Amino acid sequence: MKGTVGELGEFGLIRELTSRIGGAPAVRLGPGDDAAVVAAPDRRVVASTDMLLEGRHFRRDWSTAYDVGRKAAAQNLADVAAMGAVPTALLLGLVVPAELPVTWALELMDGISDECRVAAAGVAGGDIVRGETIMVSITALGDLGGREPVTRSGARPGDIIAVTGWLGWSAAGHAVLSRGFRSPRAFVEAHRRPEPPYPAGPAGAALGATAMTDVSDGLIADLDHIAAASKVRIDIRSAALDIPAQMSDIGQAVGVDPLHWVLTGGEDHAIVAAFPSETKLPARWRPIGEVLPARGRGVPRVTVDGAAWEQAGGWDHFAG
Amino acid sequence: MKGTVGELGEFGLIRELTSRIGGAPAVRLGPGDDAAVVAAPDRRVVASTDMLLEGRHFRRDWSTAYDVGRKAAAQNLADVAAMGAVPTALLLGLVVPAELPVTWALELMDGISDECRVAAAGVAGGDIVRGETIMVSITALGDLGGREPVTRSGARPGDIIAVTGWLGWSAAGHAVLSRGFRSPRAFVEAHRRPEPPYPAGPAGAALGATAMTDVSDGLIADLDHIAAASKVRIDIRSAALDIPAQMSDIGQAVGVDPLHWVLTGGEDHAIVAAFPSETKLPARWRPIGEVLPARGRGVPRVTVDGAAWEQAGGWDHFAG
């Protein structure tokens, strides 16, 4: 489709975008009315909102519209999964400049739709307005299926910390891309399209996780959220972390300790959780540390092999 | 509180905003975790997303932050009510420039919280990112309480059209403000803070409405959505519309037929619905027209006293 979204107009763009959306069992009433209707069999609905802003969270010269769509959907669906819920649907708020090519918006929608398909969720509705900068705002919904939501605040001393999914892959891919390379492909792909382990969220809840979150800001930063909310300390055993040989190779090539990516790289949306020590964890959950009693002020809440990790983990969106 | 949001930082701002939020019965788990948990006793959740962009939907020199918050919440909660649902909660996505005074963000939050209180809903969660232009993205959730959702597509020839709430008040208030006046206060207030008749949505559904929507773009424009979705024509009787004496006075003062505001003014979020002709409507629902069989192409779907309304109703967000 040729032309800009300004030429196509609001209603034309909505029509085109809506036509790209597949159905999903949970979406009882999709786009086109005052509001959508989504199944919530549990009698509770899990809901999370996140925004991606051009220039801040993505660049059009680095990411395709399709990849931005995949990423935007993934980070929201992962938040829902990290509560122990099965994602059901999402709503999309989209700010687009009038001069944006229609194809960009359509490819974004394809990315969102495809990521929804991976999670067996649907696009239930949305809103589009014209603005100067592209902004993708997504609210994802999910169903707990009778499980209690797993918050960040239930970790207890003696619990083990385990993770499933990818850690540091997106950061390694970013390092590759920012040096102008396009391979190794697996890491570049991981940066462009995270693959959150959606089923691990409900599975972790069913296994009895006491606290759970997805790794969006970096392992240390996200475990710090759990440690703070649970009023505990968490120690990570670095030897337990998986550093693939190829990631070590990239680290050597660009002069970065790959452990840095694994400990501080966000955006892979791995799922990390605390479990009572007696929990029999399936093989795909990798034990990486333990929960300890809190210590005094000024002591880091998350340590690596008993010591503070020298580099800052995570980041403040307003500080940059 | 002094300073800018850039000085306060992301986490500081989130903490301040979260402290302004009151609880609500439906919000089982509020802000601070990966996702919120909201009650959905009906086993379905109604959900709607809308965005307000600075410069496009509001101006900081015309509206206070508090009023922008009331308005942003109102338009989303009204969408949920217009499906026949009781609003339960909303999620807030906020883009703020680093140089924005913290007080502006806090007053916005107060406005959102207060409007939620009017609708007995709660703020369940949100996301904040830094950007060039203020953007308020809200996703409202609601519960159908066993009623079927009332879409726009169920109106049948012979149905009566009835409305409850305010029509044209916001537009009249806008006319007053844009000419530099501050009174009559009631209309200026109506422009700054719409008062959607939230309970009328579920009430309309319980009365057997065949189609329903809230008036956000203007009566003709929103009835046109119903007429298009229902494949019918709708005729409005202008004599049945309520034009208060004060609105006529404003019209005379500024040289505008007040019927124009009533027919094309949006943002009051009145609720308009089609009902089977035998429905005994309570006094607060005002019958204003009827549903007729569709006519051929090129004929307006919504007429006033049997004829096309000469002025354009509603607007395309991309055309301006």
Side-chain angles (χ1 to χ4, degrees):
Chain A
M1 172 152 306
K2 285 180 193 167
T4 66
V5 300
E7 288 158 16
L8 185 58
E10 182 191 10
F11 295 114
L13 180 58
I14 290 174
R15 198 163 43 234
E16 288 299 326
L17 291 178
T18 309
S19 74
R20 324 286 275 203
I21 299 172
V27 179
R28 301 288 178 82
L29 181 69
D33 223 293
D34 291 312
V37 181
V38 176
D42 178 78
R43 296 180 185 267
R44 293 170 297 184
V45 63
V46 171
S48 179
T49 290
D50 261 318
M51 294 177 291
L52 289 184
L53 204 62
E54 182 179 14
R56 186 136 201 96
H57 302 102
F58 66 89
R59 287 171 49 167
R60 264 193 270 175
D61 52 346
W62 277 30
S63 299
T64 65
Y66 180 82
D67 288 343
V68 173
R70 296 283 302 234
K71 216 165 183 167
Q75 79 177 42
N76 281 277
L77 297 167
D79 275 331
V80 163
M83 297 303 291
V86 175
T88 50
L90 60 77
L91 293 99
L92 168 67
L94 191 57
V95 179
V96 285
E99 64 275 16
L100 185 76
V102 172
T103 47
W104 200 95
L106 298 185
E107 285 163 17
L108 176 86
M109 196 72 237
D110 286 343
I112 292 172
S113 290
D114 282 357
E115 191 64 27
C116 278
R117 205 163 292 129
V118 171
V123 178
D127 187 27
I128 299 176
V129 305
R130 192 173 69 181
E132 298 303 310
T133 311
I134 303 175
M135 208 275 307
V136 184
S137 172
I138 289 184
T139 301
L141 306 176
D143 190 73
L144 285 162
R147 294 172 297 276
E148 278 314 295
V150 184
T151 67
R152 298 172 179 169
S153 61
R156 296 289 165 261
D159 285 356
I160 51 174
I161 297 290
V163 68
T164 185
W166 312 99
L167 282 178
W169 285 57
S170 174
H174 183 268
V176 165
L177 281 171
S178 63
R179 278 155 183 85
F181 297 106
R182 306 245 148 202
S183 67
R185 260 185 82 87
F187 293 87
V188 171
E189 286 290 301
H191 178 66
R192 290 192 168 138
R193 298 180 202 166
E195 289 185 13
Y198 299 116
L207 284 165
T210 57
M212 188 158 61
T213 193
D214 72 305
V215 180
S216 48
D217 295 337
L219 182 63
I220 291 176
D222 288 300
L223 281 177
D224 188 67
H225 296 153
I226 286 182
S230 300
K231 299 186 174 67
V232 296
R233 189 161 62 87
I234 290 171
D235 187 53
I236 301 169
R237 275 177 293 110
S238 65
L241 294 165
D242 180 39
I243 299 180
Q246 254 191 326
M247 193 188 283
S248 298
D249 293 346
I250 301 171
Q252 206 144 29
V254 302
V256 172
D257 178 357
L259 192 58
H260 175 70
W261 293 324
V262 171
L263 289 170
T264 68
E267 299 205 337
D268 288 300
H269 304 291
I271 290 193
V272 64
F275 295 96
S277 60
E278 67 274 16
T279 308
K280 287 201 194 323
L281 288 174
R284 64 182 64 173
W285 288 89
R286 174 184 283 267
I288 59 162
E290 59 178 328
V291 180
L292 302 165
R295 287 196 298 203
R297 275 173 158 280
V299 180
R301 281 183 294 246
V302 177
T303 51
V304 180
D305 303 326
W309 177 247
E310 68 269 26
Q311 285 137 313
W315 54 302
D316 187 313
H317 295 280
F318 286 178
Chain B
M1 170 152 307
K2 286 179 193 165
T4 66
V5 301
E7 287 157 17
L8 185 58
E10 182 192 11
F11 294 114
L13 180 58
I14 290 174
R15 200 166 42 236
E16 289 299 325
L17 292 178
T18 308
S19 73
R20 323 287 275 201
I21 299 172
V27 178
R28 302 287 180 84
L29 182 69
D33 223 293
D34 291 313
V37 181
V38 177
D42 178 80
R43 295 179 185 270
R44 293 170 297 184
V45 63
V46 170
S48 179
T49 290
D50 260 318
M51 294 178 290
L52 289 184
L53 203 62
E54 182 180 12
R56 185 137 200 96
H57 302 102
F58 67 88
R59 287 172 50 169
R60 264 194 269 174
D61 53 346
W62 277 30
S63 299
T64 66
Y66 180 82
D67 289 343
V68 173
R70 296 282 305 233
K71 216 166 184 166
Q75 81 178 40
N76 281 277
L77 297 167
D79 275 332
V80 163
M83 297 303 290
V86 175
T88 50
L90 60 77
L91 293 100
L92 169 67
L94 191 56
V95 179
V96 286
E99 64 274 15
L100 186 74
V102 172
T103 47
W104 200 95
L106 298 185
E107 286 164 16
L108 176 87
M109 196 71 237
D110 287 343
I112 292 171
S113 290
D114 284 356
E115 191 66 27
C116 277
R117 206 163 292 129
V118 171
V123 178
D127 187 26
I128 298 178
V129 305
R130 192 174 67 181
E132 297 303 309
T133 310
I134 303 174
M135 206 274 307
V136 184
S137 171
I138 289 185
T139 301
L141 306 176
D143 190 73
L144 286 162
R147 293 172 297 276
E148 279 312 296
V150 184
T151 66
R152 297 172 178 170
S153 61
R156 294 290 166 260
D159 285 355
I160 51 174
I161 296 291
V163 68
T164 185
W166 312 101
L167 282 178
W169 284 57
S170 174
H174 183 268
V176 166
L177 281 171
S178 64
R179 279 155 183 86
F181 296 106
R182 305 245 149 201
S183 68
R185 261 184 84 86
F187 293 87
V188 171
E189 285 292 300
H191 178 66
R192 289 192 169 139
R193 299 179 203 167
E195 291 185 13
Y198 299 116
L207 284 165
T210 55
M212 188 157 63
T213 193
D214 72 305
V215 180
S216 48
D217 295 336
L219 182 63
I220 291 176
D222 288 301
L223 281 177
D224 187 66
H225 296 152
I226 286 183
S230 300
K231 299 187 174 66
V232 297
R233 188 161 64 89
I234 290 172
D235 187 52
I236 301 169
R237 275 176 293 111
S238 65
L241 294 165
D242 180 38
I243 299 180
Q246 254 192 326
M247 194 189 282
S248 297
D249 292 347
I250 301 171
Q252 205 144 29
V254 303
V256 173
D257 179 355
L259 191 59
H260 175 70
W261 293 324
V262 171
L263 289 170
T264 67
E267 299 204 336
D268 289 299
H269 303 291
I271 291 194
V272 64
F275 295 95
S277 59
E278 66 275 17
T279 309
K280 286 201 195 325
L281 288 174
R284 64 183 63 176
W285 288 90
R286 174 185 285 267
I288 59 162
E290 59 178 330
V291 179
L292 302 166
R295 287 196 298 203
R297 275 172 159 281
V299 180
R301 281 183 294 245
V302 178
T303 50
V304 180
D305 304 326
W309 177 248
E310 67 269 27
Q311 286 136 314
W315 53 300
D316 187 312
H317 295 281
F318 285 1

